[in-house]
């Protein structure tokens, strides 16, 4: 009988990727397009998630997979742990309003478990004070998108070339500090103040399977994870197997 550790990298099989803190599947769709079979885990029910989803605490689920050995079914892990108290878009507001204490920073415990898997992994975070290595930084302008959506990625047990950050073509449309500016990018976060509508966010990020604002504002564009996933496929490819 073929063992899971063989299945995850066997020729002719799409490698399996575990998507922790999956939200509505922006990252998952990119990995799928890059050639992975994706399984998501989120503590909230996500009926719009486009692949298999387990509703569970992501860290408890991962710990159980490690303890049982079932983590061997997977070739790699992507994670987007919550860290709202350290996000550049919220940290100033949180401080001014006395907020932030209710938000958990799960980056460190996520990394600890990911290291135990022995698998290549990705930890994704927005710009801010989150304590991750910025092994890779991506921007929507790199992919011709209608959002900037700067995101940083820590890569465990593998590497990828760092692309140059192109010059932005203008402003993000909307109000900031009481001043309205027009521009080629929409603000895919929050609401009011000239923020993007749901259809605008869908078009700008290439996400069509959900129309839930909260899911769209938290999602990364699939173009980001497709770019990462194509390099990650090479990292998990069996020795001697052609691309």
């Amino acid at each position: 009988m073929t063992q899971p550790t063989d299945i995850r990298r066997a020729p002719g099989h799409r490698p399996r990727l575990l998507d922790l803190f999956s939200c509505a599947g922006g990252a998952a769709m990119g990995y799928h397009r890059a050639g992975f079979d994706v399984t998501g885990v989120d503590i909230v029910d996500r009926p719009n998630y486009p692949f298999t989803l387990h509703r569970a605490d992501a860290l408890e689920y991962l710990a159980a997979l490690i303890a049982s050995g079932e983590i061997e079914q997977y070739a790699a892990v992507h994670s987007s742990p919550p860290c709202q108290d350290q996000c550049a878009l919220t940290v100033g507001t949180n401080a001014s309003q006395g907020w932030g204490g209710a938000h958990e920073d799960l980056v460190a415990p996520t990394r600890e478990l990911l290291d135990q898997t022995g698998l290549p992994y990705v930890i994704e975070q927005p710009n801010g004070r989150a304590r991750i290595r910025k092994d890779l930084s991506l921007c929507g302008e790199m992919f011709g998108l209608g959002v900037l959506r700067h995101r940083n990625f820590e890569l465990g047990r593998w590497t990828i070339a760092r692309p140059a950050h192109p010059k932005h073509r203008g402003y993000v449309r909307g109000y900031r500090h009481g001043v309205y500016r027009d521009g080629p990018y929409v603000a895919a976060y929050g609401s009011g103040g000239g923020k993007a509508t749901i259809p605008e966010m869908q078009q700008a990020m290439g996400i069509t399977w959900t129309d839930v604002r909260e899911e769209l504002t938290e999602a990364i564009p699939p173009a980001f994870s497709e770019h990462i996933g194509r390099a990650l496929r090479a990292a998990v490819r069996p020795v001697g197997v052609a691309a």
Side-chain angles (χ1 to χ4, degrees), residues 53-105:
L53 179 73
H54 297 284
R55 182 177 178 180
D57 179 283
L59 296 188
E60 291 180 2
Y61 190 88
L62 179 58
L65 288 177
I66 295 169
S68 67
E70 293 179 73
I71 192 63
E72 291 294 328
Q73 298 176 53
Y74 296 95
V77 186
H78 173 94
S79 62
S80 298
C83 192
Q84 294 98 324
D85 61 324
Q86 301 298 331
C87 173
L89 290 174
T90 59
V91 69
T93 301
N94 287 348
S96 67
Q97 300 297 324
W99 301 342
H103 293 305
E104 288 186 277
D105 180 352

Side-chain angles (χ1 to χ4, degrees), residues 27-189:
M29 183 59 74
Y31 286 114
H32 171 77
R33 292 172 181 169
F36 287 91
D37 281 339
V38 183
T39 298
V41 183
D42 200 284
I43 200 167
V44 177
D45 188 28
R46 301 289 185 181
N48 295 317
Y49 190 80
F51 309 108
T52 300
L53 179 73
H54 297 284
R55 182 177 178 180
D57 179 283
L59 296 188
E60 291 180 2
Y61 190 88
L62 179 58
L65 288 177
I66 295 169
S68 67
E70 293 179 73
I71 192 63
E72 291 294 328
Q73 298 176 53
Y74 296 95
V77 186
H78 173 94
S79 62
S80 298
C83 192
Q84 294 98 324
D85 61 324
Q86 301 298 331
C87 173
L89 290 174
T90 59
V91 69
T93 301
N94 287 348
S96 67
Q97 300 297 324
W99 301 342
H103 293 305
E104 288 186 277
D105 180 352
L106 297 182
V107 171
T110 299
R111 181 189 296 111
E112 182 178 352
L113 283 175
L114 290 174
D115 282 335
Q116 293 179 33
T117 68
L119 299 176
Y121 66 78
V122 178
I123 302 175
E124 175 265 327
Q125 288 287 288
N127 276 347
R129 302 175 185 172
R131 296 179 179 89
I132 67 166
R133 294 191 317 271
K134 297 178 181 180
D135 298 320
L136 177 68
S137 296
L138 297 179
C139 165
E141 182 60 24
M142 295 174 178
F143 306 96
L145 301 180
V147 290
L148 292 179
R149 208 59 151 186
H150 295 103
R151 288 295 184 270
N152 301 306
F153 302 86
E154 178 176 320
L155 311 178
R157 304 178 70 87
W158 73 292
T159 60
I160 186 175
R162 295 173 63 95
H165 191 158
K167 182 178 180 180
H168 298 166
R169 289 173 286 126
Y171 292 107
V172 175
R173 190 197 73 204
Y175 284 94
R176 188 164 179 82
H177 305 301
V179 177
Y180 180 84
R181 291 187 172 95
D182 202 359
Y185 313 106
V186 299
Y189 54 88

